[in-house]
Amino acid sequence: VVSVVLIKNGAAGRQYTKPGKRTKEQNEAIDSYLREYCEDLQKSFESFADRTYGAESYFYCINPEISKKIHGFYYTKTGKTGYVRQTPLDASKLDPSDQEHNAWYYAILQKGRPAWVGPYLSNDKNKWICSYVIPVYKAGMLIGVLGLDIPVEILASQLSDVGVYDTGYACLFSEDGRVIYD
């Protein structure tokens, strides 16, 4: 696990109280630190995503109050060639009222803990996605959200062979009780 150290960079602790109060040097130090932190975390997380059946993409979206320049990382799987780097997701451009596409960010902030989010339509609107998302906090401050996307059809395929006693079967429900797969 890659740890977040913000005190040395002026993003937490006595030197920092609000995003607008940082000096130019503090902003540069935080951006430099976050760039390196995200590179290290991405390498670790890619290994995890590679070993997760059906994982289609993985991401880390940095809280825009922490940095205006560093947004994290976003990788999607393209065929069998592995993950390809995409433009990182910029949380400052997300619309909180668009829960159909942005639930992976806002729903997890409301929960304040790791959770499954979805299903929701992928950005290209080709498929239904469920995401496992983890909010990352340090000293009570949201650093960002780390997530892994899996198509609903892949999750459902894992249930098709599950039997419960002689006549039962497994099904998949959303958090609000909607049937996703039966």
Side-chain angles (χ1 to χ4, degrees):
V1 174
V2 180
S3 182
V4 185
V5 182
L6 293 174
I7 291 174
K8 291 181 188 175
N9 296 293
R14 282 179 271 130
Q15 309 137 293
Y16 172 72
T17 55
K18 293 185 178 172
K21 301 287 184 189
R22 280 190 237 139
T23 65
K24 180 182 176 187
E25 291 78 20
Q26 285 174 318
N27 282 329
E28 288 172 358
I30 289 167
D31 289 345
S32 176
Y33 172 77
L34 284 173
R35 189 174 296 106
E36 190 175 312
Y37 162 72
C38 285
E39 287 173 10
D40 291 344
L41 182 60
Q42 184 275 322
K43 290 172 190 168
S44 298
F45 202 48
E46 182 173 30
S47 176
F48 175 76
D50 276 340
R51 290 172 176 76
T52 302
Y53 178 73
E56 187 171 273
S57 57
Y58 65 95
F59 57 89
Y60 189 41
C61 187
I62 299 290
N63 178 353
E65 292 181 8
I66 301 292
S67 176
K68 303 282 186 232
K69 292 182 181 179
I70 307 301
H71 303 296
F73 54 80
Y74 179 46
Y75 284 77
T76 59
K77 200 165 226 175
T78 306
K80 294 183 180 181
T81 59
Y83 291 98
V84 177
R85 184 183 191 123
Q86 305 295 323
T87 301
L89 305 164
D90 182 353
S92 69
K93 295 181 179 173
L94 298 177
D95 180 1
S97 65
D98 184 6
Q99 289 298 305
E100 182 179 4
H101 297 101
N102 300 328
W104 59 269
Y105 189 80
Y106 293 106
I108 210 66
L109 295 184
Q110 290 174 340
K111 292 177 189 292
R113 60 177 168 72
W116 283 97
V117 177
Y120 59 91
L121 277 173
S122 61
N123 285 337
D124 59 10
K125 299 184 173 99
N126 283 352
K127 49 183 109 167
W128 288 95
I129 299 290
C130 283
S131 301
Y132 189 73
V133 187
I134 302 167
V136 177
Y137 291 94
K138 182 69 174 191
M141 180 186 305
L142 175 72
I143 306 304
V145 296
L146 183 66
L148 181 77
D149 299 331
I150 301 176
V152 170
E153 64 190 40
I154 299 292
L155 290 173
S157 72
Q158 300 298 298
L159 298 175
S160 63
D161 294 332
V162 175
V164 181
Y165 301 111
D166 292 335
T167 59
Y169 59 94
C171 51
L172 186 61
F173 289 93
S174 67
E175 185 175 47
D176 62 359
R178 289 180 299 150
V179 176
I180 298 171
Y181 170 81
D182 70 354

